[in-house]
């Protein structure tokens, strides 16, 4: 019995979770054509067992903290030994390490994130997906809300070079919070993409800023998001699915369930 306890403690120690923090919540402000049109709040809503690994389910929630049904945006992540992994397209990829130093290079999963007819779809990664090498071009300590945290500047080492947008291929990440500025996806679309409506995505396509972060013991606000036209997280719908988890029948209740 003691040997089993020691073995279990060893496994637990090797899989210390350092991201996301308990109670983590990210508030994003959505913009198009220079105007804030919506606000989204992302939280860890549950966990999911895939194979032998447990993944946090991170997704948008409504004002009551309930996951928004059929929203199409979701992250499955797990953290082990200061490395955050993402499960997507039936495979696990390194999302980002938490022990970076300037000069380090790591390869993460890159998602174009576009669905049919050029419609943004961050939850289902399109076929235009690949591995993305990033280099750490800068590391410094920043004071946020009374805490001193590591801030990293990440440089796109491949795609911006191919398409000639060297000045745009930078991302910022803070070790406790994660990627800053976009959804927690590091990249949403390759530079220079164009379709029938927009010559370049960064001119007229929607973009996202992280406006606030908090967890159980820490909170920081960069700016207050004031959407001009669309309610927070879109229309809220009451939908209940239970029991969860289950290996048998489920019940779905709500307005106009079909």
């Amino acid at each position: 019995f003691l040997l089993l306890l020691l073995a279990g403690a060893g496994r637990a120690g090797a899989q210390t979770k350092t991201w996301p923090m308990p109670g983590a919540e990210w508030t994003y402000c959505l913009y198009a054509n220079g105007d804030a049109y919506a606000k989204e709040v992302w939280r860890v809503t549950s966990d999911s067992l895939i194979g032998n690994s447990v993944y946090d389910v991170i997704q948008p929630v409504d004002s009551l903290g309930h996951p928004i049904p059929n929203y199409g945006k979701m992250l499955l992540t797990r953290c082990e030994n200061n490395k955050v992994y993402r499960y997507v397209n039936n495979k696990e990829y390194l999302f980002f390490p938490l022990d970076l130093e300037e000069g380090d290079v790591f390869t993460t999963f890159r998602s174009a994130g576009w669905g049919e007819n050029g419609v943004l779809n961050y939850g289902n990664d399109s076929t235009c997906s690949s591995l993305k090498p990033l280099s750490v071009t800068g590391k410094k300590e920043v004071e946020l809300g009374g805490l001193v945290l590591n801030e990293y500047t990440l440089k796109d080492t491949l795609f911006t070079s191919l398409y000639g947008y060297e000045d745009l291929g930078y991302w910022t990440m803070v070790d406790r919070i994660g990627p800053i500025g976009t959804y927690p996806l590091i990249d949403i679309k390759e530079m220079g993409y164009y379709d029938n409506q927009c010559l370049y995505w960064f001119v007229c396509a929607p973009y996202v800023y992280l406006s606030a972060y908090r967890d159980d013991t820490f909170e920081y606000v960069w700016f207050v998001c004031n959407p001009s036209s669309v309610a927070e997280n879109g229309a809220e719908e009451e939908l209940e699915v239970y029991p969860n988890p289950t290996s048998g029948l489920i019940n779905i209740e709500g307005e106009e369930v079909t």
Side-chain angles (χ1 to χ4, degrees), residues 89 109-113 125-131:
N89 293 347
F109 178 80
R110 169 188 165 275
S111 166
D125 293 289
S126 71
T127 55
C128 183
S129 302
S130 62
L131 294 178

Side-chain angles (χ1 to χ4, degrees), residues 101-190:
E101 297 294 338
E102 188 168 351
D104 288 349
V105 177
F106 68 97
T107 300
T108 186
F109 178 80
R110 169 188 165 275
S111 166
W114 284 66
E116 296 180 356
N117 302 320
V119 177
L120 286 170
N121 188 340
Y122 298 93
N124 299 321
D125 293 289
S126 71
T127 55
C128 183
S129 302
S130 62
L131 294 178
K132 178 185 183 72
L134 296 175
S135 63
V136 183
T137 61
K139 177 182 179 181
K140 64 181 180 180
E141 290 185 340
V142 294
E143 191 275 330
L144 298 175
L147 292 182
V148 177
L149 303 171
N150 288 319
E151 179 182 283
Y152 307 96
T153 301
L154 308 178
K155 176 71 171 70
D156 184 334
T157 64
L158 177 60
F159 292 99
T160 53
S161 299
L162 290 177
Y163 292 100
Y165 295 100
E166 292 287 348
D167 295 337
L168 298 177
Y170 288 88
W171 289 262
T172 302
M173 188 175 74
V174 177
D175 54 7
R176 180 172 184 149
I177 300 168
I180 304 294
T182 68
Y183 287 115
L185 299 176
I186 294 184
D187 191 13
I188 56 175
K189 194 174 185 187
E190 69 187 64

Side-chain angles (χ1 to χ4, degrees), residues 66-115:
H66 299 153
I68 298 178
N70 301 321
Y71 209 67
K73 301 178 183 179
M74 180 184 296
L75 276 175
L76 292 172
T77 69
R78 72 178 185 92
C79 184
E80 180 179 352
N81 295 332
N82 273 334
K83 289 182 173 58
V84 179
Y85 298 91
R86 179 183 176 195
Y87 189 86
V88 62
N89 293 347
N90 298 315
K91 188 175 179 180
E92 182 177 88
Y93 297 86
L94 177 66
F95 195 18
F96 55 80
L98 291 164
D99 51 358
L100 295 168
E101 297 294 338
E102 188 168 351
D104 288 349
V105 177
F106 68 97
T107 300
T108 186
F109 178 80
R110 169 188 165 275
S111 166
W114 284 66

